[in-house]
Amino acid sequence: MNWETLRNHFPDQWVLFEAIEAHSDNGRRIVDRIAVINQFVEGKDALNEYKQIHKTEPNRELYVAHTSKNELEIIERKWLGVRI
C-alpha cells in the first residue's frame, strides 16, 4: 500500500504504520510501501502504541501520521550524542 491508498482507506485519522520499502533522498525519507499497524482518533494514542512497539522492536521503521496530509513528509535527523 502507498500513502495515497492509505489516506483513502483511513480518512482523517491518525495511523501507526511500518515502512516496508523506503529510501532516502536529500535528507528526506521516502516511503514506497506501507503496512498499517493500527488507526486512531487521537494522536496521543497512536504515539503510545508506537512507544510500546518501538521499545520491544527498535529496528522496525515505524511512523505516526495523520491522513489529512496530502504528502508524507519525513525529514531524517542525524543522531548526535551518546546512548547509554
Side-chain angles (χ1 to χ4, degrees):
M1 171 180 307
N2 62 23
W3 180 245
E4 185 177 337
T5 305
L6 186 148
R7 289 183 66 231
N8 291 331
H9 280 83
F10 304 100
D12 295 316
Q13 295 183 46
W14 288 95
V15 289
L16 170 60
F17 63 91
E18 182 173 7
I20 302 300
E21 288 181 15
H23 63 279
S24 298
D25 185 25
N26 283 338
R28 300 195 185 282
R29 195 71 177 145
I30 310 299
V31 181
D32 301 309
R33 285 188 44 222
I34 293 172
V36 176
I37 296 171
N38 209 344
Q39 80 242 20
F40 303 87
V41 174
E42 298 291 330
K44 64 181 178 178
D45 296 331
L47 289 173
N48 285 336
E49 187 164 331
Y50 167 88
K51 288 178 200 175
Q52 290 175 344
I53 295 172
H54 183 70
K55 186 181 249 184
T56 59
E57 301 176 70
N59 294 328
R60 290 176 72 180
E61 189 172 352
L62 304 173
Y63 298 101
V64 172
H66 197 272
T67 57
S68 64
K69 293 184 176 187
N70 288 328
E71 293 186 23
L72 190 58
E73 185 174 340
I74 302 168
I75 299 170
E76 294 182 320
R77 293 188 220 165
K78 302 283 186 208
W79 174 257
L80 300 175
V82 178
R83 289 188 182 183
I84 298 176

